């Protein structure tokens, strides 16, 4: 009988596991939040991932449960484990991707390079950190942030007043994370796949370009990266995957500073936007690799198929219409481009697809991928 993987969450990451699941002969079942989501094609259940009974019922008929996102609460994850369900990544690993304060503390214990940081409970604590760090810093809500929501550069404690008020009103109480404002020259991402039995495979470190806190473009491998930098990035990724007991795909977002130090920004324990290039540009794409890893199957080769791959995100525009015509025009003008769409209705800034081009010359690959994606701009 085919192995069955249950994915909690019906977004584009679950959607992009469908094709490799079919190729591997794996049955993919998705618990979607609502009908008509990106992964609707594989949705076998619709329900609330915060409800233990819903998730337990969904998990009854699968060999392993994995995730499209990191928001499944710890008590639900633990109920699954207690019921004997294989959960990858497991709750003990996933909590470090769910809470940035827990992550910072644990990465310090593992000796990972990080920005200076502190947990602050009130304006006085934040002001003290600001005073010690040149008057500017980055404040983050520890939980629930994504695409730059929950991240704010501040130069006075008053600028985080609303977040402190929200904390005070939250019955669980809590603290904000404050970090030094890193003067980085670029952002990188290191992906590692890890099986429950411990085997690891790392992808080449990539450069990610953010606009307005959202990933706009990824270049794989990262250009102008010294061999030593590539090794250090890989070492950080593998130390974190092993140290936290991650199973499945791990992405480590990194800052590169002007003196070529790497500092960990944050973690994702699932396929990640920084790895979409690998679908078309690597021997084993991250979605296939994630399925292999969570099923504890042998991992695939992570080498690039071509010297360069560039992935450009397609974001919904203010009044985007005619997606079908744009899609056809992009395919027509750029036959070497792989255009992926997520079946989502476009809203301003919403990720609705991406384009990947792979080839021998970086300039050509950058040009082709941007030109193909530009068909979708207003
Ligand atoms: P999210 O969880 O929303 O992705 P991140 O923690 O990755 O939030 O932050 C979003 C972006 O904000 C980062 O990609 C980076 O550009 C910027 N940023 C985050 N932390 C820092 C920092 N300590 N110093 C400078 N820039 C930062």
């Amino acid at each position: 009988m085919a192995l069955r993987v249950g994915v909690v969450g019906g977004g584009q990451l679950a959607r992009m596991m469908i094709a490799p699941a079919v190729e591997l002969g794996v049955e993919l079942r998705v618990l979607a939040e609502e009908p008509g989501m990106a992964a609707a094609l594989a949705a076998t259940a619709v329900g609330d991932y915060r409800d233990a009974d819903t998730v337990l019922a969904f998990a009854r008929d699968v060999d392993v449960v994995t995730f499209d996102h990191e928001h499944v609460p710890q008590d639900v994850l633990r109920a699954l484990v207690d019921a004997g369900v294989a959960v990858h990544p497991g709750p003990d690993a996933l909590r470090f991707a769910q809470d940035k304060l827990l992550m910072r503390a644990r990465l310090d214990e593992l000796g990972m390079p990080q920005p200076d940081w502190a947990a602050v409970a009130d304006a006085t604590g934040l002001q003290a950190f600001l005073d010690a760090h040149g008057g500017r810093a980055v404040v983050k809500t520890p939980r629930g942030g994504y695409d730059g929501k929950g991240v704010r550069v501040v130069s006075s404690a008053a600028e985080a007043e609303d977040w402190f008020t929200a904390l005070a009103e939250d019955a669980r109480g809590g603290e904000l994370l404050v970090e030094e404002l890193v003067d980085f020259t670029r952002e990188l991402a290191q992906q590692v796949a890890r099986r429950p039995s411990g085997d690891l495979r790392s992808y080449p470190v990539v450069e990610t370009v953010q606009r307005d806190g959202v990933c706009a473009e990824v270049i794989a491998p990262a250009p102008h990266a010294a061999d030593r930098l590539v090794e250090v990035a890989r070492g950080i990724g593998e130390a974190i995957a092993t140290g936290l007991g991650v199973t499945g795909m791990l992405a480590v977002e990194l800052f590169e500073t002007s003196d070529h130090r790497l500092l960990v920004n944050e973690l994702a324990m699932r396929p990640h936007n920084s790895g979409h290039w690998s679908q078309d540009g690597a021997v084993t794409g991250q979605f296939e690799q994630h399925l292999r890893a969570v099923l504890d199957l042998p991992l695939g080769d992570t080498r690039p198929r071509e010297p360069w791959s560039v992935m450009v995100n397609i974001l919904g525009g203010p009044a985007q219409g005619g997606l079908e015509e744009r899609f056809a025009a992009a395919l027509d003008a750029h036959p070497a481009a792989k255009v992926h769409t997520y079946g989502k209705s476009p809203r301003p800034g919403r990720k609705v697809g991406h384009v990947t081009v792979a080839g021998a010359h970086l300039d050509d690959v950058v040009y082709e991928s941007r030109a193909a994606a530009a068909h979708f701009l207003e």
Side-chain angles (χ1 to χ4, degrees):
M1 198 169 69
L3 291 166
R4 292 155 306 181
V5 175
V7 185
V8 179
Q12 66 260 25
L13 302 179
R15 177 188 181 94
M16 289 187 274
M17 292 179 206
I18 298 173
V22 171
E23 289 166 3
L24 289 168
V26 167
E27 194 181 315
L28 200 77
R29 299 186 177 187
V30 170
L31 170 62
E33 290 83 337
E34 53 191 72
M37 291 188 69
L41 192 59
T44 54
V46 171
D48 186 352
Y49 60 80
R50 293 163 301 190
D51 179 62
D53 290 339
T54 302
V55 182
L56 277 166
F58 168 72
R60 200 172 299 129
D61 299 325
V62 299
D63 296 292
V64 57
V65 166
T66 189
F67 309 96
D68 168 82
H69 57 72
E70 285 133 353
H71 307 312
V72 179
Q74 281 286 320
D75 57 342
V76 175
L77 298 171
R78 301 215 180 258
L80 288 173
V81 173
D82 291 346
V85 178
V87 180
H88 294 298
D92 288 334
L94 207 49
R95 66 200 169 109
F96 298 110
Q98 294 179 320
D99 186 316
K100 291 177 182 179
L101 272 172
L102 277 184
M103 174 198 75
R104 287 277 177 240
R106 183 75 184 110
L107 293 188
D108 269 357
E109 286 172 8
L110 291 175
M112 294 293 110
Q114 307 199 76
D116 275 349
W117 66 278
V120 288
D122 53 31
T124 315
L126 176 53
Q127 196 57 53
F129 189 92
L130 282 167
D131 293 344
H133 292 85
R136 290 181 81 203
V138 182
V139 183
K140 301 183 178 183
T141 53
R143 304 175 72 90
Y146 66 95
D147 285 352
K149 298 173 184 66
V151 174
R152 203 180 275 173
V153 178
V154 304
S155 42
S156 79
E159 291 170 64
E161 193 62 55
D162 52 335
W163 283 354
F164 283 123
T165 309
L167 280 184
E169 284 164 5
D170 188 332
R172 292 172 302 176
E175 296 168 308
L176 296 176
L177 169 63
V178 57
E179 298 174 359
E180 86 180 90
L181 179 63
V182 178
D183 183 19
F184 58 81
T185 49
R186 60 175 172 171
E187 295 186 66
L188 303 173
Q190 174 67 53
Q191 285 195 299
V192 180
R194 184 171 177 276
R195 293 171 63 174
S197 56
D199 277 355
L200 296 168
R201 290 261 184 165
S202 293
Y203 284 83
V205 66
V206 301
E207 179 172 342
T208 65
V209 181
Q210 265 68 232
R211 262 176 234 126
D212 302 324
V214 180
C215 174
E217 210 168 281
V218 173
I219 308 174
H224 311 296
D227 290 349
R228 183 69 194 126
L229 182 101
V230 172
E231 268 173 44
V232 170
R234 181 188 170 123
I236 291 172
E238 295 186 355
I240 293 175
T242 304
L244 303 188
V246 180
T247 42
M249 288 296 305
L250 165 72
V252 181
E253 296 180 12
L254 297 159
F255 298 125
E256 183 180 354
T257 62
S258 52
D259 54 355
H260 301 295
R261 283 178 311 133
L262 295 180
L263 303 174
V264 176
N265 175 26
E266 69 163 343
L267 310 178
M269 294 181 194
R270 50 174 168 75
H272 187 249
N273 202 167
S274 64
H276 289 355
W277 70 275
S278 63
Q279 288 174 299
D280 303 305
V283 176
T284 310
Q286 65 163 346
F287 297 96
E288 174 179 347
Q289 195 79 299
H290 186 71
L291 294 175
R292 291 187 187 214
V294 300
L295 285 164
D296 208 10
L297 293 170
L299 300 174
D301 196 325
T302 52
R303 274 176 299 184
R305 289 182 184 277
E306 297 277 356
W308 298 105
S309 296
V310 172
M311 189 278 331
V312 181
N313 274 335
I314 301 170
L315 301 180
Q320 204 162 40
L323 263 187
E324 292 79 10
E325 294 79 43
R326 290 158 190 268
F327 182 67
L331 295 188
D332 186 39
H334 302 280
K338 308 301 275 185
V339 183
H340 300 250
T341 56
Y342 307 155
K344 289 160 67 172
S345 50
R347 278 201 306 263
R350 188 182 201 202
K351 290 174 187 168
V352 294
H354 68 269
V355 174
T356 301
V357 176
H361 301 287
L362 182 56
D363 289 346
D364 294 337
V365 170
V366 167
Y367 177 87
E368 283 291 319
S369 54
R370 286 186 188 163
H375 282 273
F376 295 89
L377 300 177
E378 275 314 294

